[in-house]
Amino acid sequence: MVVERDTMESDKWDIMKQLREMEDRCACLQQEIKFRDSAIKSLQDEHERISQECMCVSMDSLQRTMSRSSSLRSKSSVGSKSSGFSRILTLRKHLMDSDTDSFGDEEAAVTNPGKKKSRPRIQFPLFSEDTEREKRKLLDSLSEVPMVRWKSEAVVAWLELVMKMPQYSKSCADNVKSGKVLLSLSDSDIQTGFGMSNPLHKRKLRLALDDIRAPDNVTYPQLSKIDHLWVVEEWLPSIGLNQYKGSFRENLVDGRVLNSLTKKDMERHLGVIERSHQTSLMLGIELLAKFNYNLENLNKKRTAVQHIDSDVEIWTTARCAEWLISVDLKEYANKLSYSGIHGAVVLYDKEFNTDVLAGALGIPIQRKVLRRHMDQELNVLKSGGSRRHTGGGGGVMKAKSGRLKDQISRAFTKAEPEPNLKAFKPADPGTVCKGEKTDSIQITFDPEIFA
């Protein structure tokens, strides 16, 4: 009965954990659907506006052509010899006036923004079909040129390729005609000129412009190399918070924005309500800042301690899962992927203890022996006294590295069932009680446990 009750209690914890994970995933999917719906709506509005502009241009061109034709016919009725030359000069002047109007409108947009345009114009693409290569080539050619000397095409290419904000390229091409204009924009100008309503999008662009205006005041030069794709696809899984990928992707959180985040920002803009997850994010950001956001140095150090239980603060969630496998808790390793538990949390979170870890792993409170075993191993890990090898030769886990990787992969995809443990009677002093031998764990009990 005791064994069945423990099994049912463990199953209940597993179901509750899966339910929470499904709720988090549903929330992420709803946010992505909302973002795509808004993007579709904006594209529809843009299509309708362009169609109206095309219709206005067509009607205006038709009226001008008819008026020019009638004036030419009236002049040709004089029958003079110079009528042919006058007709050519009139057509030439008409073409030159059209070109002058198109360039004059662009000049007026910079010098006199309040001046009305003479006629509506279609905004043609700044690049040809091979836009990606042309934009990169343009940015490469301007690598040594200050942004203040850039033209509109270079500003749009920088916004799309460097800032990864192509949804604002149309507004940028319409309103920002040079790098000098871009660098002079205030926060209110960014909102009106680009149509940015997302506060984190505005912060992302503002922080980038601040670094360009004053490069000597930049605290972390490596921040410019961290885009939102790395934050979403690499960093969030490394700290065990995959469920927030949708909100971070929607808000385009790159290195600069990540460094500026507060717990209030996480709750208001990113939907991170749970306090432990906020702490996990903050500790992960502090770890990056400790390495000056130099990802190469951080990855080198992580590789050096990949199979050694040291430097716990730099451990990723996957490395914590390897540690669980090494201390005979393999069946719980897969439950860390949405927990927000990583090395910095284990060492520096004051509220983190064995009960928190057991709750994240779904270990019921009735499993006192298992919790005591985990508490002992966790204390050894925190004290830095363990130098357990999780792979290679001569370690606690005598397994090849390939086998260890297979175990971790299975642990993150499918949980294995808990071994059924039988009740044990207290042993006499000086003896050892041997437990049931399972396929994955050899369990021995010390008499002091039952003291």
Side-chain angles (χ1 to χ4, degrees):
M1 293 295 293
V2 175
V3 174
E4 292 179 358
R5 186 179 63 182
D6 291 344
T7 303
M8 294 177 65
E9 189 70 22
S10 177
D11 293 341
K12 183 184 76 173
W13 280 95
D14 291 342
I15 293 173
M16 293 176 63
K17 184 68 175 179
Q18 292 175 3
L19 181 60
R20 286 197 299 268
E21 293 176 359
M22 293 177 66
E23 290 176 352
D24 293 338
R25 292 179 183 178
C26 289
C28 294
L29 290 175
Q30 289 177 356
Q31 290 179 354
E32 291 184 1
I33 291 173
K34 184 178 178 181
F35 173 72
R36 292 182 181 181
D37 290 341
S38 62
I40 292 173
K41 185 177 179 181
S42 62
L43 288 175
Q44 291 176 348
D45 296 339
E46 185 72 16
H47 179 268
E48 183 177 358
R49 187 181 67 80
I50 293 175
S51 300
Q52 292 177 357
E53 287 186 0
C54 291
M55 185 178 297
C56 293
V57 171
S58 300
M59 294 296 296
D60 191 14
S61 300
L62 181 60
Q63 291 177 0
R64 289 192 177 199
T65 304
M66 292 178 64
S67 62
R68 295 288 183 183
S69 299
S70 61
S71 63
L72 288 175
R73 282 197 298 270
S74 62
K75 289 182 179 180
S76 61
S77 61
V78 178
S80 63
K81 232 178 183 183
S82 61
S83 60
F85 294 101
S86 63
R87 188 182 306 169
I88 293 174
L89 291 174
T90 303
L91 290 173
R92 182 180 178 183
K93 185 176 183 302
H94 171 63
L95 294 175
M96 292 178 65
D97 290 341
S98 299
D99 295 338
T100 304
D101 290 341
S102 63
F103 288 101
D105 291 342
E106 295 180 359
E107 184 70 21
V110 179
T111 58
N112 190 6
K115 183 179 179 181
K116 294 184 179 179
K117 296 181 180 180
S118 60
R119 59 187 176 86
R121 296 185 295 108
I122 301 177
Q123 295 291 339
F124 294 99
L126 297 174
F127 301 93
S128 63
E129 294 181 356
D130 197 7
T131 55
E132 184 74 16
R133 184 165 56 186
E134 289 187 8
K135 292 176 185 178
R136 293 194 180 279
K137 185 178 179 180
L138 176 61
L139 290 178
D140 292 340
S141 64
L142 297 174
S143 59
E144 302 296 332
V145 180
M147 180 177 282
V148 71
R149 296 170 55 187
W150 287 10
K151 295 184 179 180
S152 176
E153 294 85 352
V155 173
V156 173
W158 175 81
L159 188 69
E160 292 183 2
L161 299 182
V162 178
M163 299 303 295
K164 301 291 191 301
M165 305 175 81
Q167 63 269 42
Y168 300 109
S169 59
K170 176 91 172 51
S171 301
C172 179
D174 291 340
N175 301 313
V176 182
K177 299 303 179 181
S178 66
K180 184 177 181 180
V181 174
L182 178 64
L183 292 174
S184 65
L185 295 178
S186 61
D187 289 348
S188 58
D189 295 334
I190 290 175
Q191 182 171 357
T192 56
F194 287 86
M196 287 188 185
S197 58
N198 189 304
L200 293 185
H201 288 188
K202 291 186 288 185
R203 185 187 301 182
K204 176 178 181 177
L205 183 58
R206 176 174 55 80
L207 291 174
L209 294 178
D210 289 344
D211 289 352
I212 295 174
R213 294 188 192 106
D216 295 335
N217 298 332
V218 177
T219 307
Y220 301 110
Q222 299 292 330
L223 279 177
S224 60
K225 300 180 181 179
I226 301 177
D227 58 10
H228 75 279
L229 298 177
W230 179 86
V231 173
V232 172
E233 301 299 335
E234 300 290 337
W235 186 69
L236 285 177
S238 71
I239 62 174
L241 293 175
N242 297 278
Q243 62 268 37
Y244 298 109
K245 280 185 174 182
S247 59
F248 273 73
R249 183 184 295 109
E250 179 182 350
N251 289 278
L252 303 177
V253 179
D254 64 350
R256 296 186 181 96
V257 177
L258 191 68
N259 185 56
S260 68
L261 286 180
T262 63
K263 291 186 177 181
K264 189 175 182 180
D265 294 330
M266 296 173 186
E267 184 173 353
R268 178 180 297 179
H269 304 306
L270 298 174
V272 184
I273 307 298
E274 193 167 341
R275 184 177 175 182
S276 62
H277 291 176
Q278 294 177 2
T279 303
S280 176
L281 287 168
M282 295 301 296
L283 290 173
I285 294 171
E286 291 177 8
L287 177 65
L288 292 176
K290 185 176 180 179
F291 282 83
N292 295 322
Y293 290 89
N294 192 320
L295 305 182
E296 183 178 356
N297 292 342
L298 177 59
N299 292 331
K300 284 182 179 178
K301 191 164 185 180
R302 282 175 172 170
T303 303
V305 297
Q306 185 176 1
H307 303 300
I308 304 175
D309 289 356
S310 62
D311 296 310
V312 180
E313 66 172 352
I314 66 173
W315 283 14
T316 63
T317 301
R319 181 64 182 86
C320 292
E322 292 183 17
W323 173 77
L324 286 176
I325 295 174
S326 69
V327 296
D328 298 331
L329 293 173
K330 178 175 63 176
E331 59 270 25
Y332 300 102
N334 69 312
K335 299 181 181 180
L336 287 180
S337 56
Y338 292 89
S339 64
I341 295 176
H342 52 93
V345 172
V346 174
L347 286 188
Y348 302 128
D349 186 4
K350 297 180 180 180
E351 298 181 357
F352 183 82
N353 53 30
T354 304
D355 294 334
V356 174
L357 180 58
L361 298 179
I363 300 176
I365 195 172
Q366 293 82 2
R367 304 293 298 275
K368 295 182 179 180
V369 175
L370 191 58
R371 281 176 173 247
R372 188 172 300 179
H373 164 70
M374 185 172 60
D375 182 64
Q376 293 174 351
E377 294 290 346
L378 186 61
N379 290 334
V380 171
L381 184 65
K382 286 184 176 182
S383 64
S386 174
R387 291 296 181 266
R388 184 193 306 269
H389 288 260
T390 58
V396 172
M397 290 188 62
K398 295 181 179 179
K400 296 182 179 179
S401 59
R403 180 182 174 188
L404 177 62
K405 292 180 180 179
D406 294 340
Q407 290 175 338
I408 297 171
S409 176
R410 289 196 302 270
F412 272 91
T413 55
K414 182 179 179 182
E416 298 187 4
E418 275 190 31
N420 294 326
L421 304 179
K422 296 182 178 180
F424 293 89
K425 296 181 180 180
D428 296 332
T431 61
V432 176
C433 296
K434 296 184 179 180
E436 179 184 358
K437 184 177 180 181
T438 62
D439 293 336
S440 58
I441 302 175
Q442 175 67 39
I443 301 174
T444 59
F445 288 87
D446 196 300
E448 295 179 359
I449 296 178
F450 300 95

